[in-house]
Amino acid sequence: MANNYKTIHWFLLAHLLLQLSNIYARVPAIIVFGDSSVDSGNNNQISTILKSNFEPYGRDFISGQPTGRFSNGRIPTDFISEAFGIKPTIPAYLDPTYDIKDFASGVCFASAGTGYDNATSDVLSVIPLWKEMEYYKEYQKDLRGYLGEEKANEVLCEALYLMSIGTNDFLENYYVLPRRWSEFSIEEYQHFLAGIAGNFIRELYNLGARKICIGGVPPMGCLPLERTTNILSGSECIEEYNNVAKDFNEKLKGLIANLNKELAGIRLVFSNPYDILLEIIQNPESFGFEDTAKACCGTGLFEMSYLCDQINPFTCSDANKYIFWDSFHPTEKTNGIVADNVMKSSLAEFLW
């Protein structure tokens, strides 16, 4: 009888492991496009002032070293990759310490400071979205050389494609420089950006992608940098910017609904960082945070990139108490909460 129980036990365990392997096999790789919210180090390799490959960035990363991620540790896409059972971090495509063996299970093409609009990437001389696509095409070619045509095509089809982009188009471009606001009303500009997003997704689809998640924009009026400029209103969130973020997210949802009808076999979903981040900001104690208006790095009011460096005497000692690491980007703790929320909502369908 005991032997029978052992046999049943091992049969059930083997069955469970098989089920788990099937779940993970359904997403063999994570492929990332976007801006600083998901850039794992591509800007390290280009001529731009927008970098974060120096301390104190990365001080709580796995290696304790700066990587080019705009945080004290990991970013949301790292957590998502780990949640799918793939690997704990996603390497940057331009990082010379990695090659196609590393990229076969996940790769990041994102560039801090970029946007849907090419004019946005010009502001700080970063990688435009169209160039991220060109790098992806290079990657496809290399992957086929490494895995063979059939296996590579399977990986490219079953991979999960994550996009996180759009905030810079408004805060770095439209509301700062005259070119776009003289051409477009804010409503027209949102339609313009959504059109670019749609064309990008169609091109990804034509190249074989089928599982795609588009991230919306956060409550950008609540970023510490924006609250700092809102002194006359007591450094509260700028509601105009938050309303634009909500409106743009609705347009992305409409685009996704249309593309799911237009493109046969596509599984296109929307991830919404707006609601979870606003909930954290409005109820910080519920998530274990103490400071909502200021960031950890420096004074927490305006520092980012080179203004957030290791000689700044004001940087906090415990980033886990803060929602934001610098004046524009969340801490690793916040990134983990956002990623967990996305996994339980938008990406849950890809687990089964």
Side-chain angles (χ1 to χ4, degrees):
M1 183 67 72
N3 286 336
N4 287 339
Y5 281 128
K6 285 183 179 180
T7 301
I8 293 171
H9 170 79
W10 287 113
F11 174 79
L12 291 174
L13 180 60
H15 182 70
L16 176 61
L17 292 173
L18 180 61
Q19 291 295 102
L20 289 172
S21 68
N22 285 338
I23 288 170
Y24 292 145
R26 292 184 183 183
V27 177
I30 304 287
I31 298 173
V32 183
F33 300 93
D35 56 23
S36 59
S37 60
V38 291
D39 182 1
S40 56
N42 285 308
N43 274 25
N44 298 353
Q45 309 302 324
I46 64 174
S47 297
T48 177
I49 62 168
L50 191 57
K51 296 178 186 285
S52 60
N53 56 340
F54 46 83
E55 297 177 349
Y57 285 97
R59 73 179 194 189
D60 300 309
F61 191 69
I62 295 167
S63 64
Q65 299 296 317
T67 61
R69 289 167 172 81
F70 280 77
S71 185
N72 59 305
R74 290 193 288 171
I75 51 180
T77 41
D78 294 323
F79 287 105
I80 290 170
S81 174
E82 184 174 54
F84 275 101
I86 301 175
K87 54 188 177 185
T89 60
I90 299 180
Y93 182 66
L94 298 183
D95 189 331
T97 63
Y98 296 101
D99 60 24
I100 193 61
K101 294 191 296 295
D102 306 294
F103 299 147
S105 57
V107 61
C108 172
F109 301 101
S111 175
T114 202
Y116 287 111
D117 187 353
N118 287 338
T120 302
S121 62
D122 291 341
V123 175
L124 292 170
S125 301
V126 297
I127 303 167
L129 189 58
W130 67 264
K131 185 63 176 178
E132 292 186 26
M133 178 65 80
E134 292 303 305
Y135 285 140
Y136 171 65
K137 291 175 182 177
E138 285 182 6
Y139 165 73
Q140 282 200 330
K141 182 179 178 181
D142 291 343
L143 191 67
R144 291 187 174 107
Y146 175 61
L147 295 178
E149 190 84 13
E150 183 177 348
K151 180 62 177 176
N153 287 344
E154 179 185 336
V155 169
L156 294 168
C157 179
E158 295 296 332
L160 177 60
Y161 296 76
L162 302 177
M163 293 179 62
S164 178
I165 190 169
T167 303
N168 297 318
D169 290 306
F170 298 104
L171 298 186
E172 186 185 301
N173 185 355
Y174 188 88
Y175 284 114
V176 176
L177 303 174
R179 177 181 168 188
R180 290 309 191 198
W181 61 252
S182 64
E183 285 182 90
F184 301 107
S185 68
I186 188 62
E187 182 82 8
E188 291 168 339
Y189 190 58
Q190 291 177 57
H191 282 293
F192 171 70
L193 297 179
I196 296 170
N199 290 335
F200 188 87
I201 292 162
R202 289 185 186 93
E203 187 168 3
L204 269 183
Y205 175 85
N206 289 332
L207 290 167
R210 290 297 180 270
K211 302 173 182 176
I212 305 173
C213 177
I214 305 178
V217 293
M220 53 193 184
C222 292
L223 300 178
L225 181 62
E226 305 311 320
R227 295 177 74 156
T228 299
T229 65
N230 198 27
I231 298 174
L232 295 179
S233 297
S235 296
E236 293 298 316
C237 297
I238 301 176
E239 288 307 314
E240 178 189 353
Y241 291 175
N242 282 355
N243 289 335
V244 167
K246 287 188 287 186
D247 289 345
F248 183 58
N249 287 345
E250 287 302 313
K251 289 178 175 59
L252 288 178
K253 290 179 187 177
L255 170 69
I256 288 167
N258 291 334
L259 289 176
N260 274 321
K261 295 174 184 176
E262 174 188 329
L263 304 173
I266 197 170
R267 296 170 66 186
L268 181 60
V269 299
F270 177 74
S271 67
N272 184 12
Y274 187 99
D275 291 343
I276 182 62
L277 271 174
L278 192 62
E279 183 182 350
I280 293 170
I281 291 166
Q282 292 177 339
N283 303 287
E285 296 85 2
S286 300
F287 297 88
F289 294 109
E290 297 179 7
D291 206 312
T292 63
K294 294 196 304 181
C296 171
C297 193
T299 62
L301 301 175
F302 61 87
E303 291 91 347
M304 180 175 66
S305 191
Y306 285 107
L307 293 176
C308 173
D309 59 27
Q310 63 181 346
I311 63 172
N312 195 314
F314 300 105
T315 296
C316 75
S317 58
D318 185 1
N320 286 333
K321 295 179 180 179
Y322 289 75
I323 298 171
F324 293 96
W325 166 248
D326 64 20
S327 64
F328 213 80
H329 304 99
T331 57
E332 178 182 61
K333 180 178 175 179
T334 307
N335 286 332
I337 295 170
V338 170
D340 182 64
N341 179 266
V342 172
M343 285 299 302
K344 290 175 178 176
S345 54
S346 308
L347 300 182
E349 70 172 81
F350 299 117
L351 285 169
W352 312 107

